[in-house]
Amino acid sequence: MKKPTVYDEIKAAGYSRRDFMKFCGTMAAMLGLEASGVAQIARALETKSRIPVLWMHFQECTCCSESFIRSSHPIVADILLDKISLDYSETLMAAAGHQAEKSLRDTMEKYAGQYLLMVEGSIPLGNEGYCCIGGRSAEDILKEVAEGAKAIVAWGNCASAGCVQAADPNPTGATPIHKIIHGKPIISVQGCPPIAEVMAGVVVHLLTFERIPQLDALGRPKAFYSRRVHDTCYRRPNYDAGLFVQSFDDENAKRGYCLYKMGCRGPVTYNSCGVIKWNNGVSFPIQSGHPCIGCSEANFWDNGPFYKHLQSFPGFGIETTADDIGLGLGIATGVGIAAHAISTNIRKRRHINLGADNTNTENK
Amino acid sequence: MERTISKQRLKEVYVWELPVRFYHWINALCIVVLAITGYIIGRPPAFQSATEASYGYWFGTVRFIHFVTAFVFFFNFVMRIYWGFVGNKYARWYNFIPLKKWQWKEIICVIKVDILQIKDRPVLGVGHNSLASLTYFFTFLAFVLQCFTGFGIYAAMSESWLPNLFSWIVPLLGGDFMARQIHHILMWFFILFGIVHVYLVFYHDYIERTGVTSSMIGGWKFVEGDDADMDGNERIRSCNQK
Ligand code: HEM
Ligand code: SF4
Ligand code: SF4
């Protein structure tokens, strides 16, 4: 029997041709494709059948899954995830126990070298006891499943950089996927969580073009992570004009000035929040008056405090920044110089009193 | 006050060639401008409110000045590295890296004479003394780091090839945040260096009277005849005499 195409499954789920084309159009726009990209996506979905997907959950909070199923376009969650793709996902599959394990094995054997591996969560290398599924450690499972994967998608900050579990002192030894699996293409879909449309865009790209999207140096798809939040932020004119919020309840906050001095990480964070926004494009943190905390960057939990521009200096108090320490060192230098100048003058006076310049000519 | 020193024995030596002097003052100016604009970028004063963004662009201008100065600073530094291979013996690169034993001995000697002031005989090299040279070597490293981190974060807002040569530094540091953090911390190195540097120039002129302050303007220094001809090892010996 011929395997049904993605479009067949979409039709079977009751969507109209119009819904389908709208979906293709949305995805092409998200991916930044030209107009012909819509047709390309439609063609691909009409002719290709689903790619088998294994979605593994390790040390995570499931916010990536939550984000994905709340995607603005119903086809994303309904078809790509629910009906089409998932052969295994601890959170969403109906099967449980031995049945689930069997479906995992079946896919790994039947589609060896073809399936996509999607990983949510980090791996505890410090003590494997922190994350075991079916009596096996996360590391074991990951290595085995990655073996036959065509490509790996690392969902969110946990799988891409360790996120909150890896924050200092990292008790579980939480480790991102790219530090454990080598020699497989890994796509880091960063964020805590990533934006639903970004996640869908990556899946559609993989399905349509059957190759890895262009990635930046940290493995993030360029289509969504090549610009800083700061570069697409609607408050940017206030930044350039030097108009800053000083505290959360001041007049400037009400006027919608830039949140830079409230610790905004927009200038150092690569994500699409300013363009795609969140929850069906309703808003994004900065639009709601809160500075960006840099959730799509490695170590963002340790780059604190969130509401300060400068990090607290390691080894000093939480509120001590490099500027405080620099100022302290400057004062110490001044005191040292004063002491040195006094001692120099005493020495010089002695030489002058001796009537001879033994600093320069004696002891030859 | 009577002096036992006789004018005849003083010799004028042309130490700092024109490119070195130009480099020095362009560099000094750039660092002052970069530190001031950099500090403002890191900690902008919020002196305006009750206005609309369309009326102003001062913060953008401060950043623009920082970037333009950064390019001048960078090319000036590149020129100095080149001059370290073709300039006179006081400008050459090997002065700045203590690879020889006598240079380390001179460093100890300078610490005893000039910093701790427990010895009296000044160290009379014509160019930089070895401790000063080593310090300049560290500042060169700081220049490199500052250019790397600076152009690294600049690459995100530029299409041109020069900043993008440095874009690899950012992932190496784990992201833009860390690069900016290091960039900011290094500013303090330059401020502290500046304070100590200016003080020590005054100090040396005050004690040794070789005209070191004006030497960076005219290029000439006054040295006693035989001092000028001494090599490193002889200088150490004379330092250890007392
Ligand atoms: C002596 C040399 C320099 C000093 C003292 C200096 C100082 C600073 C400081 C303190 C900041 C603020 C950082 C923060 O708190 O976020 C800054 C920002 C910056 N600097 Fe420099 N800097 C120097 C050289 C350079 C160079 C050579 C470049 C190369 C292009 C550069 C590019 C930048 C950029 C791109 C920013 C970020 C500005 C923004 O995103 O608005 N800097 N600098
Ligand atoms: S609010 Fe943040 S992202 Fe927006 S302009 Fe200000 S600093 Fe940049
Ligand atoms: S604005 Fe910043 S912290 Fe908020 S979701 Fe976007 S990248 Fe994450």
Side-chain angles (χ1 to χ4, degrees):
Chain A
M1 189 190 89
K2 194 173 153 279
K3 265 175 62 183
T5 65
V6 179
Y7 180 54
D8 291 339
E9 305 220 24
I10 289 174
K11 268 194 307 196
Y15 289 98
S16 66
R17 177 75 186 171
R18 192 183 175 85
D19 287 331
F20 171 68
M21 287 314 293
K22 262 158 84 181
F23 170 73
C24 295
T26 311
M27 284 302 129
M30 297 286 172
L31 285 163
L33 303 178
E34 39 193 273
S36 64
V38 184
Q40 252 178 310
I41 293 177
R43 173 78 37 79
L45 298 182
E46 280 166 358
T47 52
K48 284 176 194 160
S49 53
R50 66 194 190 96
I51 328 172
V53 172
L54 300 178
W55 184 311
M56 312 303 289
H57 297 253
F58 299 116
Q59 290 195 128
E60 43 90 335
C61 72
T62 318
C63 79
C64 299
S65 297
E66 290 286 348
S67 175
F68 196 34
I69 59 178
R70 272 161 187 68
S71 166
S72 55
H73 207 288
I75 290 183
V76 173
D78 213 21
I79 304 299
L80 292 183
L81 210 122
D82 200 15
K83 303 254 171 17
I84 304 225
S85 292
L86 292 189
D87 295 85
Y88 180 89
S89 158
E90 284 97 349
T91 317
L92 293 170
M93 66 191 166
H98 293 296
Q99 238 186 332
E101 290 300 312
K102 183 170 177 304
S103 118
L104 175 64
R105 302 254 134 240
D106 284 354
T107 309
M108 281 169 56
E109 276 158 29
K110 204 164 147 207
Y111 297 106
Q114 294 171 43
Y115 61 86
L116 274 181
L117 172 60
M118 302 190 169
V119 183
E120 201 176 335
S122 61
I123 311 295
L125 290 190
N127 180 343
E128 56 184 31
Y130 280 110
C131 184
C132 291
I133 301 161
R136 290 177 63 204
S137 76
E139 188 188 356
D140 253 17
I141 301 174
L142 174 70
K143 282 186 170 153
E144 192 191 356
V145 181
E147 190 65 40
K150 188 175 172 196
I152 302 174
V153 177
W155 287 137
N157 206 311
C158 298
S160 304
C163 204
V164 70
Q165 307 87 270
D168 188 52
N170 191 357
T172 67
T175 309
I177 309 310
H178 68 92
K179 293 211 174 132
I180 298 172
I181 305 297
H182 304 280
K184 293 267 171 194
I186 299 179
I187 307 164
S188 289
V189 185
Q190 263 282 23
C192 185
I195 303 170
E197 282 70 23
V198 170
M199 300 173 80
V202 171
V203 174
V204 170
H205 186 286
L206 288 168
L207 208 64
T208 310
F209 300 108
E210 291 190 60
R211 60 184 142 78
I212 306 301
Q214 254 200 329
L215 304 179
D216 73 3
L218 290 165
R220 300 175 291 198
K222 276 193 177 162
F224 303 107
Y225 297 92
S226 63
R227 280 187 297 171
R228 303 174 301 164
V229 173
H230 189 56
D231 296 324
T232 49
C233 177
Y234 78 105
R235 296 194 187 214
R236 180 62 184 268
N238 294 282
Y239 172 87
D240 288 326
L243 299 174
F244 301 109
V245 174
Q246 299 275 58
S247 74
F248 280 119
D249 50 3
D250 69 2
E251 268 306 304
N252 298 348
K254 293 196 189 96
R255 287 204 177 86
Y257 286 180
C258 165
L259 293 159
Y260 185 65
K261 295 191 82 174
M262 302 310 296
C264 185
R265 302 288 191 255
V268 289
T269 304
Y270 294 77
N271 208 342
S272 299
C273 300
V275 182
I276 299 177
K277 301 193 182 173
W278 285 85
N279 303 322
N280 307 353
V282 170
S283 181
F284 73 114
I286 293 169
Q287 191 174 338
S288 307
H290 192 280
C292 169
I293 58 173
C295 77
S296 55
E297 295 289 321
N299 298 327
F300 77 105
W301 295 101
D302 288 334
N303 292 342
F306 284 153
Y307 301 119
K308 287 256 165 95
H309 173 67
L310 276 184
Q311 194 185 23
S312 47
F313 207 81
F316 291 81
I318 288 199
E319 299 284 293
T320 315
T321 64
D323 281 354
D324 302 326
I325 292 173
L327 197 63
L329 285 175
I331 292 169
T333 311
V335 171
I337 285 179
H340 192 266
I342 291 167
S343 136
T344 302
N345 266 298
I346 294 170
R347 194 163 60 144
K348 183 161 176 168
R349 196 123 300 274
R350 202 170 69 226
H351 293 155
I352 295 173
N353 287 343
L354 281 175
D357 182 23
N358 63 1
T359 58
N360 233 352
T361 47
E362 275 189 8
N363 304 320
K364 270 269 133 98
Chain B
M1 201 75 50
E2 226 168 274
R3 294 273 175 89
T4 51
I5 187 169
S6 64
K7 277 266 182 255
Q8 279 80 7
R9 295 182 52 215
L10 276 182
K11 196 164 141 187
E12 268 193 307
V13 186
Y14 188 55
V15 187
W16 312 124
E17 299 153 291
L18 197 61
V20 174
R21 283 176 276 147
F22 260 108
Y23 160 76
H24 175 271
W25 292 112
I26 292 172
N27 195 40
L29 187 71
C30 284
I31 289 178
V32 170
V33 173
L34 285 166
I36 292 172
T37 52
Y39 187 83
I40 294 173
I41 293 170
R43 219 176 232 230
F47 50 66
Q48 266 185 319
S49 55
T51 175
E52 290 302 324
S54 46
Y55 296 130
Y57 195 74
W58 75 262
F59 195 62
T61 309
V62 169
R63 292 175 63 239
F64 180 72
I65 296 170
H66 191 83
F67 303 149
V68 171
T69 316
F71 276 90
V72 176
F73 172 81
F74 175 75
F75 286 114
N76 190 46
F77 179 43
V78 170
M79 193 290 295
R80 182 62 183 88
I81 293 172
Y82 166 72
W83 203 254
F85 292 93
V86 299
N88 69 14
K89 65 175 173 180
Y90 307 110
R92 290 286 170 123
W93 64 272
Y94 49 71
N95 288 293
F96 298 95
I97 308 170
L99 296 173
K100 302 216 177 71
K101 217 168 160 190
W102 70 262
Q103 287 173 305
W104 284 105
K105 286 190 184 153
E106 191 180 55
I107 288 173
I108 293 167
C109 194
V110 174
I111 291 174
K112 283 186 190 159
V113 174
D114 289 322
I115 310 290
L116 304 175
Q117 309 205 338
I118 51 177
K119 271 175 89 99
D120 243 0
R121 182 73 177 79
V123 186
L124 295 173
V126 178
H128 300 306
N129 70 50
S130 295
L131 180 61
S133 301
L134 183 62
T135 313
Y136 297 139
F137 180 59
F138 287 135
T139 56
F140 290 159
L141 291 183
F143 291 166
V144 170
L145 266 176
Q146 201 69 331
C147 288
F148 277 27
T149 52
F151 280 114
I153 38 186
Y154 188 72
M157 30 183 146
S158 166
E159 294 289 307
S160 96
W161 60 273
L162 180 71
N164 280 291
L165 285 182
F166 297 89
S167 55
W168 54 271
I169 193 83
V170 170
L172 200 71
L173 294 172
D176 283 48
F177 183 87
M178 216 9 112
R180 259 184 100 128
Q181 206 71 24
I182 293 170
H183 195 73
H184 191 112
I185 291 167
L186 274 173
M187 170 191 70
W188 284 103
F189 171 82
F190 288 105
I191 293 175
L192 296 180
F193 169 83
I195 297 171
V196 175
H197 176 72
V198 171
Y199 170 73
L200 282 181
V201 170
F202 288 171
Y203 159 83
H204 279 288
D205 233 3
Y206 196 64
I207 284 290
E208 291 170 358
R209 308 185 305 284
T210 56
V212 62
T213 316
S214 61
S215 75
M216 212 24 100
I217 298 171
W220 302 87
K221 265 190 184 180
F222 298 105
V223 218
E224 282 171 60
D226 4 340
D227 278 357
D229 308 324
M230 270 199 240
D231 70 7
N233 280 315
E234 286 170 324
R235 245 186 288 145
I236 300 304
R237 233 172 284 129
S238 88
C239 175
N240 286 335
Q241 267 171 17
K242 196 178 169 185

